[in-house]
Amino acid sequence: MVKPTFNLAITETLLKYAPKLDNDFSEFKATETLSVREIEVLRLVANGYSNKEIAEALHKSEGTIKNHVSNLLSKLGVRDRTRAVLLAIEMGILQ
């Protein structure tokens, strides 16, 4: 198994641009709950893992991981991984 590495550059970029994003989630009402697997994938996304790295870590295909990511973006009502992570932190899903 390939061990995914933490990419500090991704975290620094996220911290640099996050304040500039429209992150007002005060009106957000979750209509669907995330599955245990989706939360697991979201945690890995938050740590900067690529779909390929997540697939390797969870012993799943990259296509399966892409489906999980698409589902969690849809359920959270966001358009990208960064907003998904920010919303998950705001909601207390990630800490």
Side-chain angles (χ1 to χ4, degrees):
M1 174 170 76
V2 175
K3 183 178 182 240
T5 58
F6 180 74
N7 189 333
L8 186 57
I10 293 171
T11 303
E12 289 172 345
T13 302
L14 175 62
L15 292 174
K16 179 180 177 182
Y17 290 103
K20 297 176 184 176
L21 297 173
D22 177 18
N23 298 325
D24 181 14
F25 301 120
S26 60
E27 297 294 319
F28 179 78
K29 300 285 187 231
T31 56
E32 296 184 64
T33 58
L34 299 178
S35 70
V36 172
R37 179 64 82 184
E38 288 166 342
I39 292 171
E40 189 174 20
V41 169
L42 185 58
R43 289 183 194 284
L44 294 170
V45 167
N47 283 304
Y49 290 27
S50 69
N51 287 344
K52 183 177 181 179
E53 292 170 324
I54 295 169
E56 290 172 357
L58 299 179
H59 307 289
K60 300 293 179 190
S61 73
E62 192 171 348
T64 298
I65 299 306
K66 287 179 182 180
N67 287 337
H68 286 308
V69 171
S70 292
N71 289 341
L72 68 90
L73 294 178
S74 177
K75 287 181 178 181
L76 292 174
V78 295
R79 66 176 182 242
D80 58 51
R81 296 160 74 109
T82 301
R83 284 183 174 83
V85 170
L86 292 171
L87 177 57
I89 291 168
E90 180 90 11
M91 294 174 62
I93 295 171
L94 300 178
Q95 297 178 18

